[in-house]
Amino acid sequence: MKPPETRELLPLGLFGGTFDPVHFAHLRLAEAACCELGLSSVRWIPAGNPVLRESPRVDARHRLEMVRLAIADNPCFELDTAEVDAERPSYTVPTLERLRQDDACGAKRPLVLLVGADAFSSLTAWYRWERIFELAHVAVARRPGFPIEAETLPERLSQIWRDRFAADPAALSLAPSGAVVSFPMTPLGISATRVRRLISRGVSTRYLLPDAVIAYVEERRFYREPGGA
Ligand code: ATP
């Protein structure tokens, strides 16, 4: 690990999600981002009350605890509880504005919003989405079944992809925000939806998510009822 004074200048990864529940593809995405993009660390930001999807199956406090368990042994991962603490709808732009305050990350530190390819393709549905590029860089992880091609993106996003795409992740260190990069991760066809379905059928989810998270879910009998996506 780099000494603290250097690490504080390196790009910081921000990884938001519903994490209902957190699984190994989330962990692998964050780990790959750290290595491939030269991030100091990845800050996980579980959504308290996500607005663009149906209500999570499990309460925000429990989803937060599952992330806490999942990332506990990785010194490059940290947890941001603010969206859960806020107990109101979670939006990315206000979260980034909060992180840009002087008492948080300040204006100069490169911030890198990490998203899977599916999330990137639907970015235009996010609240004040174009503002994201003024506040952070965006790094897109390739995801099985969700190819990223300029031609298939919504028009405005496709234009942004063309204008802002940087092939070299070194671009992330040159400015606090504004670039779009993509990075490879070992393709994993895991989704929280699939995990929930397996649990509702009474099928093992071992090796799809950390054992500590499985134990947490089993103790509370989460996701036993079929339903939701
Ligand atoms: P659900 O199935 O409930 O929609 P999910 O597994 O997609 O959930 P989210 O919490 O919605 O998980 O996703 C958080 C982020 O992780 C998103 O940016 C999403 O694109 C990314 N992500 C989730 N699973 C994968 C995967 N298998 N490969 C790459 N990215 C992923």
Side-chain angles (χ1 to χ4, degrees):
M1 232 197 309
K2 307 231 168 36
E5 60 278 14
T6 323
R7 294 186 76 222
E8 275 159 27
L9 300 173
L10 291 172
L12 171 67
L14 307 172
F15 189 30
T18 311
F19 306 124
D20 188 24
V22 61
H23 52 67
F24 279 139
H26 296 135
L27 288 154
R28 190 59 218 167
L29 182 153
E31 179 73 3
C34 241
C35 306
E36 299 281 350
L37 305 176
L39 307 178
S40 61
S41 46
V42 172
R43 184 176 296 199
W44 292 62
I45 314 176
N49 186 0
V51 278
L52 290 175
R53 48 180 295 149
E54 62 180 46
S55 295
R57 292 282 301 279
V58 161
D59 180 77
R61 287 276 149 210
H62 289 300
R63 289 184 285 104
L64 183 76
E65 281 316 305
M66 291 191 277
V67 172
R68 197 191 302 279
L69 289 170
I71 69 175
D73 63 357
N74 190 326
C76 288
F77 291 167
E78 53 193 68
L79 187 60
D80 186 323
T81 66
E83 286 196 3
V84 171
D85 294 340
E87 292 182 348
R88 58 173 182 267
S90 303
Y91 296 103
T92 299
V93 165
T95 293
L96 294 174
E97 286 173 338
R98 166 176 64 81
L99 292 172
R100 280 295 178 205
Q101 302 293 310
D102 289 339
D103 58 356
C105 301
K108 295 202 175 121
R109 182 159 188 195
L111 298 179
V112 186
L113 185 68
L114 309 177
V115 290
D118 58 313
F120 182 74
S121 302
S122 61
L123 207 66
T124 55
W126 295 19
Y127 173 62
R128 294 170 62 206
W129 68 276
E130 292 199 43
R131 171 98 172 111
I132 291 173
F133 301 94
E134 294 167 20
L135 295 162
H137 301 295
V138 176
V140 188
R142 296 177 203 133
R143 182 171 187 176
F146 300 94
I148 327 161
E149 286 149 7
E151 309 76 56
T152 58
L153 294 171
E155 196 181 330
R156 182 75 191 113
L157 186 59
S158 168
Q159 190 60 49
I160 284 177
W161 174 266
R162 279 187 254 260
D163 292 348
R164 296 183 177 273
F165 185 77
D168 184 350
L172 301 176
S173 299
L174 303 179
S177 60
V180 180
V181 300
S182 72
F183 63 97
M185 64 174 274
T186 305
L188 293 170
I190 307 175
S191 69
T193 304
R194 186 173 296 186
V195 168
R196 294 193 299 270
R197 282 201 190 121
L198 290 174
I199 296 171
S200 74
R201 290 174 45 217
V203 175
S204 163
T205 54
R206 200 164 177 206
Y207 310 123
L208 296 176
L209 58 168
D211 288 343
V213 177
I214 294 177
Y216 191 95
V217 166
E218 280 179 357
E219 273 162 32
R220 290 160 185 81
R221 304 179 65 80
F222 290 154
Y223 312 117
R224 291 288 178 98
E225 301 300 321

PDB file of all heavy atoms in Angstrom, residues 33-63:
ATOM      1  N   ALA A  33     -11.373  -2.457 -10.321  1.00  0.00           N
ATOM      2  CA  ALA A  33     -11.256  -0.999 -10.500  1.00  0.00           C
ATOM      3  C   ALA A  33     -10.029  -0.476  -9.772  1.00  0.00           C
ATOM      4  O   ALA A  33      -9.260   0.327 -10.307  1.00  0.00           O
ATOM      5  CB  ALA A  33     -12.518  -0.311  -9.999  1.00  0.00           C
ATOM      6  N   CYS A  34      -9.850  -0.940  -8.548  1.00  0.00           N
ATOM      7  CA  CYS A  34      -8.700  -0.489  -7.757  1.00  0.00           C
ATOM      8  C   CYS A  34      -7.395  -0.748  -8.506  1.00  0.00           C
ATOM      9  O   CYS A  34      -6.547   0.136  -8.629  1.00  0.00           O
ATOM     10  CB  CYS A  34      -8.682  -1.278  -6.445  1.00  0.00           C
ATOM     11  SG  CYS A  34      -8.845  -0.242  -5.029  1.00  0.00           S
ATOM     12  N   CYS A  35      -7.253  -1.969  -9.000  1.00  0.00           N
ATOM     13  CA  CYS A  35      -5.993  -2.352  -9.655  1.00  0.00           C
ATOM     14  C   CYS A  35      -5.851  -1.730 -11.034  1.00  0.00           C
ATOM     15  O   CYS A  35      -4.810  -1.203 -11.379  1.00  0.00           O
ATOM     16  CB  CYS A  35      -5.909  -3.865  -9.837  1.00  0.00           C
ATOM     17  SG  CYS A  35      -6.148  -4.751  -8.334  1.00  0.00           S
ATOM     18  N   GLU A  36      -6.905  -1.809 -11.826  1.00  0.00           N
ATOM     19  CA  GLU A  36      -6.805  -1.384 -13.224  1.00  0.00           C
ATOM     20  C   GLU A  36      -6.740   0.130 -13.370  1.00  0.00           C
ATOM     21  O   GLU A  36      -6.179   0.637 -14.337  1.00  0.00           O
ATOM     22  CB  GLU A  36      -8.011  -1.904 -14.031  1.00  0.00           C
ATOM     23  CG  GLU A  36      -8.144  -3.411 -14.073  1.00  0.00           C
ATOM     24  CD  GLU A  36      -7.190  -4.057 -15.076  1.00  0.00           C
ATOM     25  OE1 GLU A  36      -6.575  -3.321 -15.864  1.00  0.00           O
ATOM     26  OE2 GLU A  36      -7.069  -5.299 -15.051  1.00  0.00           O
ATOM     27  N   LEU A  37      -7.348   0.853 -12.401  1.00  0.00           N
ATOM     28  CA  LEU A  37      -7.463   2.305 -12.552  1.00  0.00           C
ATOM     29  C   LEU A  37      -6.535   3.061 -11.609  1.00  0.00           C
ATOM     30  O   LEU A  37      -6.550   4.297 -11.565  1.00  0.00           O
ATOM     31  CB  LEU A  37      -8.917   2.745 -12.305  1.00  0.00           C
ATOM     32  CG  LEU A  37      -9.978   2.046 -13.176  1.00  0.00           C
ATOM     33  CD1 LEU A  37     -11.374   2.486 -12.775  1.00  0.00           C
ATOM     34  CD2 LEU A  37      -9.737   2.335 -14.662  1.00  0.00           C
ATOM     35  N   GLY A  38      -5.762   2.349 -10.806  1.00  0.00           N
ATOM     36  CA  GLY A  38      -4.821   3.009  -9.903  1.00  0.00           C
ATOM     37  C   GLY A  38      -5.509   3.838  -8.828  1.00  0.00           C
ATOM     38  O   GLY A  38      -5.072   4.934  -8.490  1.00  0.00           O
ATOM     39  N   LEU A  39      -6.607   3.310  -8.285  1.00  0.00           N
ATOM     40  CA  LEU A  39      -7.342   4.037  -7.248  1.00  0.00           C
ATOM     41  C   LEU A  39      -6.667   3.844  -5.894  1.00  0.00           C
ATOM     42  O   LEU A  39      -6.072   2.802  -5.625  1.00  0.00           O
ATOM     43  CB  LEU A  39      -8.782   3.520  -7.158  1.00  0.00           C
ATOM     44  CG  LEU A  39      -9.584   3.483  -8.468  1.00  0.00           C
ATOM     45  CD1 LEU A  39     -10.969   2.897  -8.220  1.00  0.00           C
ATOM     46  CD2 LEU A  39      -9.691   4.877  -9.074  1.00  0.00           C
ATOM     47  N   SER A  40      -6.788   4.852  -5.024  1.00  0.00           N
ATOM     48  CA  SER A  40      -6.258   4.688  -3.667  1.00  0.00           C
ATOM     49  C   SER A  40      -7.125   3.701  -2.911  1.00  0.00           C
ATOM     50  O   SER A  40      -6.646   2.884  -2.135  1.00  0.00           O
ATOM     51  CB  SER A  40      -6.284   6.023  -2.923  1.00  0.00           C
ATOM     52  OG  SER A  40      -7.610   6.483  -2.832  1.00  0.00           O
ATOM     53  N   SER A  41      -8.423   3.785  -3.136  1.00  0.00           N
ATOM     54  CA  SER A  41      -9.369   2.925  -2.435  1.00  0.00           C
ATOM     55  C   SER A  41     -10.736   3.060  -3.101  1.00  0.00           C
ATOM     56  O   SER A  41     -10.921   3.916  -3.980  1.00  0.00           O
ATOM     57  CB  SER A  41      -9.474   3.333  -0.955  1.00  0.00           C
ATOM     58  OG  SER A  41      -9.605   4.722  -0.845  1.00  0.00           O
ATOM     59  N   VAL A  42     -11.633   2.214  -2.683  1.00  0.00           N
ATOM     60  CA  VAL A  42     -13.008   2.293  -3.181  1.00  0.00           C
ATOM     61  C   VAL A  42     -13.937   2.515  -1.998  1.00  0.00           C
ATOM     62  O   VAL A  42     -13.899   1.772  -1.019  1.00  0.00           O
ATOM     63  CB  VAL A  42     -13.419   1.009  -3.935  1.00  0.00           C
ATOM     64  CG1 VAL A  42     -14.913   1.036  -4.270  1.00  0.00           C
ATOM     65  CG2 VAL A  42     -12.601   0.846  -5.203  1.00  0.00           C
ATOM     66  N   ARG A  43     -14.740   3.578  -2.111  1.00  0.00           N
ATOM     67  CA  ARG A  43     -15.718   3.876  -1.075  1.00  0.00           C
ATOM     68  C   ARG A  43     -17.070   3.318  -1.515  1.00  0.00           C
ATOM     69  O   ARG A  43     -17.605   3.719  -2.546  1.00  0.00           O
ATOM     70  CB  ARG A  43     -15.816   5.392  -0.877  1.00  0.00           C
ATOM     71  CG  ARG A  43     -16.734   5.760   0.256  1.00  0.00           C
ATOM     72  CD  ARG A  43     -16.725   7.244   0.493  1.00  0.00           C
ATOM     73  NE  ARG A  43     -15.423   7.737   0.923  1.00  0.00           N
ATOM     74  CZ  ARG A  43     -15.226   8.903   1.536  1.00  0.00           C
ATOM     75  NH1 ARG A  43     -16.253   9.682   1.791  1.00  0.00           N
ATOM     76  NH2 ARG A  43     -14.027   9.286   1.887  1.00  0.00           N
ATOM     77  N   TRP A  44     -17.590   2.389  -0.758  1.00  0.00           N
ATOM     78  CA  TRP A  44     -18.877   1.761  -1.080  1.00  0.00           C
ATOM     79  C   TRP A  44     -19.996   2.624  -0.487  1.00  0.00           C
ATOM     80  O   TRP A  44     -19.938   2.996   0.692  1.00  0.00           O
ATOM     81  CB  TRP A  44     -18.948   0.361  -0.480  1.00  0.00           C
ATOM     82  CG  TRP A  44     -18.001  -0.625  -1.101  1.00  0.00           C
ATOM     83  CD1 TRP A  44     -16.623  -0.554  -1.118  1.00  0.00           C
ATOM     84  CD2 TRP A  44     -18.338  -1.835  -1.779  1.00  0.00           C
ATOM     85  NE1 TRP A  44     -16.111  -1.644  -1.773  1.00  0.00           N
ATOM     86  CE2 TRP A  44     -17.137  -2.446  -2.179  1.00  0.00           C
ATOM     87  CE3 TRP A  44     -19.549  -2.467  -2.084  1.00  0.00           C
ATOM     88  CZ2 TRP A  44     -17.097  -3.660  -2.863  1.00  0.00           C
ATOM     89  CZ3 TRP A  44     -19.527  -3.676  -2.767  1.00  0.00           C
ATOM     90  CH2 TRP A  44     -18.311  -4.255  -3.158  1.00  0.00           C
ATOM     91  N   ILE A  45     -21.015   2.905  -1.318  1.00  0.00           N
ATOM     92  CA  ILE A  45     -22.097   3.794  -0.881  1.00  0.00           C
ATOM     93  C   ILE A  45     -23.445   3.096  -1.121  1.00  0.00           C
ATOM     94  O   ILE A  45     -24.095   3.315  -2.151  1.00  0.00           O
ATOM     95  CB  ILE A  45     -22.039   5.144  -1.635  1.00  0.00           C
ATOM     96  CG1 ILE A  45     -20.596   5.694  -1.668  1.00  0.00           C
ATOM     97  CG2 ILE A  45     -22.994   6.146  -0.996  1.00  0.00           C
ATOM     98  CD1 ILE A  45     -20.435   6.977  -2.469  1.00  0.00           C
ATOM     99  N   PRO A  46     -23.874   2.255  -0.188  1.00  0.00           N
ATOM    100  CA  PRO A  46     -25.172   1.589  -0.380  1.00  0.00           C
ATOM    101  C   PRO A  46     -26.306   2.615  -0.428  1.00  0.00           C
ATOM    102  O   PRO A  46     -26.309   3.581   0.346  1.00  0.00           O
ATOM    103  CB  PRO A  46     -25.299   0.691   0.862  1.00  0.00           C
ATOM    104  CG  PRO A  46     -23.897   0.522   1.374  1.00  0.00           C
ATOM    105  CD  PRO A  46     -23.193   1.807   1.039  1.00  0.00           C
ATOM    106  N   ALA A  47     -27.224   2.409  -1.354  1.00  0.00           N
ATOM    107  CA  ALA A  47     -28.368   3.316  -1.491  1.00  0.00           C
ATOM    108  C   ALA A  47     -29.361   3.043  -0.372  1.00  0.00           C
ATOM    109  O   ALA A  47     -29.708   1.887  -0.105  1.00  0.00           O
ATOM    110  CB  ALA A  47     -29.037   3.098  -2.845  1.00  0.00           C
ATOM    111  N   GLY A  48     -29.823   4.124   0.278  1.00  0.00           N
ATOM    112  CA  GLY A  48     -30.828   3.935   1.308  1.00  0.00           C
ATOM    113  C   GLY A  48     -32.153   3.577   0.670  1.00  0.00           C
ATOM    114  O   GLY A  48     -32.765   2.552   0.949  1.00  0.00           O
ATOM    115  N   ASN A  49     -32.559   4.426  -0.253  1.00  0.00           N
ATOM    116  CA  ASN A  49     -33.875   4.293  -0.848  1.00  0.00           C
ATOM    117  C   ASN A  49     -33.741   4.568  -2.341  1.00  0.00           C
ATOM    118  O   ASN A  49     -33.989   5.672  -2.794  1.00  0.00           O
ATOM    119  CB  ASN A  49     -34.779   5.325  -0.148  1.00  0.00           C
ATOM    120  CG  ASN A  49     -36.208   5.191  -0.565  1.00  0.00           C
ATOM    121  OD1 ASN A  49     -36.550   4.338  -1.385  1.00  0.00           O
ATOM    122  ND2 ASN A  49     -37.056   6.045  -0.034  1.00  0.00           N
ATOM    123  N   PRO A  50     -33.309   3.570  -3.112  1.00  0.00           N
ATOM    124  CA  PRO A  50     -33.058   3.825  -4.539  1.00  0.00           C
ATOM    125  C   PRO A  50     -34.347   4.201  -5.256  1.00  0.00           C
ATOM    126  O   PRO A  50     -35.403   3.661  -4.952  1.00  0.00           O
ATOM    127  CB  PRO A  50     -32.512   2.489  -5.057  1.00  0.00           C
ATOM    128  CG  PRO A  50     -32.933   1.472  -4.065  1.00  0.00           C
ATOM    129  CD  PRO A  50     -33.121   2.166  -2.751  1.00  0.00           C
ATOM    130  N   VAL A  51     -34.246   5.145  -6.201  1.00  0.00           N
ATOM    131  CA  VAL A  51     -35.470   5.660  -6.818  1.00  0.00           C
ATOM    132  C   VAL A  51     -35.807   5.024  -8.160  1.00  0.00           C
ATOM    133  O   VAL A  51     -36.947   5.056  -8.579  1.00  0.00           O
ATOM    134  CB  VAL A  51     -35.374   7.191  -7.017  1.00  0.00           C
ATOM    135  CG1 VAL A  51     -35.704   7.915  -5.747  1.00  0.00           C
ATOM    136  CG2 VAL A  51     -34.032   7.609  -7.538  1.00  0.00           C
ATOM    137  N   LEU A  52     -34.840   4.456  -8.841  1.00  0.00           N
ATOM    138  CA  LEU A  52     -35.082   4.027 -10.213  1.00  0.00           C
ATOM    139  C   LEU A  52     -35.429   2.544 -10.328  1.00  0.00           C
ATOM    140  O   LEU A  52     -35.340   1.963 -11.380  1.00  0.00           O
ATOM    141  CB  LEU A  52     -33.842   4.303 -11.071  1.00  0.00           C
ATOM    142  CG  LEU A  52     -33.571   5.782 -11.348  1.00  0.00           C
ATOM    143  CD1 LEU A  52     -32.267   5.947 -12.097  1.00  0.00           C
ATOM    144  CD2 LEU A  52     -34.716   6.395 -12.136  1.00  0.00           C
ATOM    145  N   ARG A  53     -35.791   1.927  -9.258  1.00  0.00           N
ATOM    146  CA  ARG A  53     -36.102   0.508  -9.308  1.00  0.00           C
ATOM    147  C   ARG A  53     -37.125   0.234  -8.224  1.00  0.00           C
ATOM    148  O   ARG A  53     -37.392   1.085  -7.389  1.00  0.00           O
ATOM    149  CB  ARG A  53     -34.840  -0.320  -9.066  1.00  0.00           C
ATOM    150  CG  ARG A  53     -34.055   0.168  -7.848  1.00  0.00           C
ATOM    151  CD  ARG A  53     -32.811  -0.642  -7.591  1.00  0.00           C
ATOM    152  NE  ARG A  53     -33.161  -1.980  -7.239  1.00  0.00           N
ATOM    153  CZ  ARG A  53     -32.385  -3.021  -7.525  1.00  0.00           C
ATOM    154  NH1 ARG A  53     -31.228  -2.854  -8.139  1.00  0.00           N
ATOM    155  NH2 ARG A  53     -32.754  -4.252  -7.196  1.00  0.00           N
ATOM    156  N   GLU A  54     -37.676  -0.979  -8.249  1.00  0.00           N
ATOM    157  CA  GLU A  54     -38.653  -1.255  -7.205  1.00  0.00           C
ATOM    158  C   GLU A  54     -37.951  -1.354  -5.845  1.00  0.00           C
ATOM    159  O   GLU A  54     -36.724  -1.507  -5.785  1.00  0.00           O
ATOM    160  CB  GLU A  54     -39.447  -2.509  -7.529  1.00  0.00           C
ATOM    161  CG  GLU A  54     -38.648  -3.758  -7.611  1.00  0.00           C
ATOM    162  CD  GLU A  54     -39.545  -4.956  -7.939  1.00  0.00           C
ATOM    163  OE1 GLU A  54     -40.397  -4.856  -8.850  1.00  0.00           O
ATOM    164  OE2 GLU A  54     -39.371  -5.975  -7.264  1.00  0.00           O
ATOM    165  N   SER A  55     -38.738  -1.218  -4.775  1.00  0.00           N
ATOM    166  CA  SER A  55     -38.154  -1.168  -3.435  1.00  0.00           C
ATOM    167  C   SER A  55     -37.302  -2.407  -3.181  1.00  0.00           C
ATOM    168  O   SER A  55     -37.685  -3.511  -3.546  1.00  0.00           O
ATOM    169  CB  SER A  55     -39.251  -1.140  -2.383  1.00  0.00           C
ATOM    170  OG  SER A  55     -39.957   0.041  -2.512  1.00  0.00           O
ATOM    171  N   PRO A  56     -36.159  -2.201  -2.531  1.00  0.00           N
ATOM    172  CA  PRO A  56     -35.324  -3.357  -2.201  1.00  0.00           C
ATOM    173  C   PRO A  56     -36.094  -4.336  -1.325  1.00  0.00           C
ATOM    174  O   PRO A  56     -37.014  -3.950  -0.607  1.00  0.00           O
ATOM    175  CB  PRO A  56     -34.160  -2.738  -1.426  1.00  0.00           C
ATOM    176  CG  PRO A  56     -34.172  -1.297  -1.765  1.00  0.00           C
ATOM    177  CD  PRO A  56     -35.580  -0.943  -2.106  1.00  0.00           C
ATOM    178  N   ARG A  57     -35.703  -5.593  -1.376  1.00  0.00           N
ATOM    179  CA  ARG A  57     -36.369  -6.609  -0.565  1.00  0.00           C
ATOM    180  C   ARG A  57     -35.985  -6.490   0.902  1.00  0.00           C
ATOM    181  O   ARG A  57     -36.716  -6.901   1.786  1.00  0.00           O
ATOM    182  CB  ARG A  57     -35.992  -8.001  -1.095  1.00  0.00           C
ATOM    183  CG  ARG A  57     -36.567  -8.307  -2.474  1.00  0.00           C
ATOM    184  CD  ARG A  57     -38.032  -8.689  -2.412  1.00  0.00           C
ATOM    185  NE  ARG A  57     -38.261  -9.855  -1.591  1.00  0.00           N
ATOM    186  CZ  ARG A  57     -38.082 -11.105  -1.998  1.00  0.00           C
ATOM    187  NH1 ARG A  57     -37.697 -11.336  -3.233  1.00  0.00           N
ATOM    188  NH2 ARG A  57     -38.304 -12.114  -1.182  1.00  0.00           N
ATOM    189  N   VAL A  58     -34.791  -5.963   1.154  1.00  0.00           N
ATOM    190  CA  VAL A  58     -34.280  -5.921   2.521  1.00  0.00           C
ATOM    191  C   VAL A  58     -34.002  -4.475   2.918  1.00  0.00           C
ATOM    192  O   VAL A  58     -33.547  -3.661   2.105  1.00  0.00           O
ATOM    193  CB  VAL A  58     -33.020  -6.822   2.620  1.00  0.00           C
ATOM    194  CG1 VAL A  58     -32.184  -6.489   3.818  1.00  0.00           C
ATOM    195  CG2 VAL A  58     -33.427  -8.287   2.661  1.00  0.00           C
ATOM    196  N   ASP A  59     -34.308  -4.155   4.167  1.00  0.00           N
ATOM    197  CA  ASP A  59     -34.136  -2.810   4.708  1.00  0.00           C
ATOM    198  C   ASP A  59     -32.691  -2.299   4.537  1.00  0.00           C
ATOM    199  O   ASP A  59     -31.729  -3.064   4.597  1.00  0.00           O
ATOM    200  CB  ASP A  59     -34.497  -2.894   6.197  1.00  0.00           C
ATOM    201  CG  ASP A  59     -34.368  -1.564   6.886  1.00  0.00           C
ATOM    202  OD1 ASP A  59     -35.267  -0.742   6.701  1.00  0.00           O
ATOM    203  OD2 ASP A  59     -33.347  -1.353   7.574  1.00  0.00           O
ATOM    204  N   ALA A  60     -32.576  -0.982   4.375  1.00  0.00           N
ATOM    205  CA  ALA A  60     -31.269  -0.371   4.090  1.00  0.00           C
ATOM    206  C   ALA A  60     -30.213  -0.704   5.146  1.00  0.00           C
ATOM    207  O   ALA A  60     -29.050  -0.943   4.819  1.00  0.00           O
ATOM    208  CB  ALA A  60     -31.436   1.139   3.987  1.00  0.00           C
ATOM    209  N   ARG A  61     -30.613  -0.716   6.414  1.00  0.00           N
ATOM    210  CA  ARG A  61     -29.636  -1.003   7.495  1.00  0.00           C
ATOM    211  C   ARG A  61     -29.025  -2.391   7.326  1.00  0.00           C
ATOM    212  O   ARG A  61     -27.839  -2.598   7.562  1.00  0.00           O
ATOM    213  CB  ARG A  61     -30.320  -0.945   8.874  1.00  0.00           C
ATOM    214  CG  ARG A  61     -30.644   0.434   9.315  1.00  0.00           C
ATOM    215  CD  ARG A  61     -29.423   1.089   9.992  1.00  0.00           C
ATOM    216  NE  ARG A  61     -29.472   2.517   9.749  1.00  0.00           N
ATOM    217  CZ  ARG A  61     -28.410   3.307   9.658  1.00  0.00           C
ATOM    218  NH1 ARG A  61     -27.188   2.829   9.762  1.00  0.00           N
ATOM    219  NH2 ARG A  61     -28.540   4.592   9.434  1.00  0.00           N
ATOM    220  N   HIS A  62     -29.840  -3.343   6.924  1.00  0.00           N
ATOM    221  CA  HIS A  62     -29.328  -4.709   6.740  1.00  0.00           C
ATOM    222  C   HIS A  62     -28.451  -4.796   5.492  1.00  0.00           C
ATOM    223  O   HIS A  62     -27.429  -5.477   5.483  1.00  0.00           O
ATOM    224  CB  HIS A  62     -30.485  -5.704   6.641  1.00  0.00           C
ATOM    225  CG  HIS A  62     -31.191  -5.920   7.950  1.00  0.00           C
ATOM    226  ND1 HIS A  62     -30.551  -6.409   9.073  1.00  0.00           N
ATOM    227  CD2 HIS A  62     -32.474  -5.695   8.315  1.00  0.00           C
ATOM    228  CE1 HIS A  62     -31.416  -6.494  10.073  1.00  0.00           C
ATOM    229  NE2 HIS A  62     -32.583  -6.052   9.642  1.00  0.00           N
ATOM    230  N   ARG A  63     -28.841  -4.086   4.429  1.00  0.00           N
ATOM    231  CA  ARG A  63     -28.000  -4.103   3.217  1.00  0.00           C
ATOM    232  C   ARG A  63     -26.646  -3.470   3.519  1.00  0.00           C
ATOM    233  O   ARG A  63     -25.605  -3.938   3.062  1.00  0.00           O
ATOM    234  CB  ARG A  63     -28.719  -3.388   2.060  1.00  0.00           C
ATOM    235  CG  ARG A  63     -29.913  -4.206   1.550  1.00  0.00           C
ATOM    236  CD  ARG A  63     -30.593  -3.568   0.336  1.00  0.00           C
ATOM    237  NE  ARG A  63     -31.409  -2.425   0.663  1.00  0.00           N
ATOM    238  CZ  ARG A  63     -31.083  -1.167   0.455  1.00  0.00           C
ATOM    239  NH1 ARG A  63     -29.934  -0.871  -0.143  1.00  0.00           N
ATOM    240  NH2 ARG A  63     -31.890  -0.184   0.808  1.00  0.00           N
TER     241      ARG A  63
END
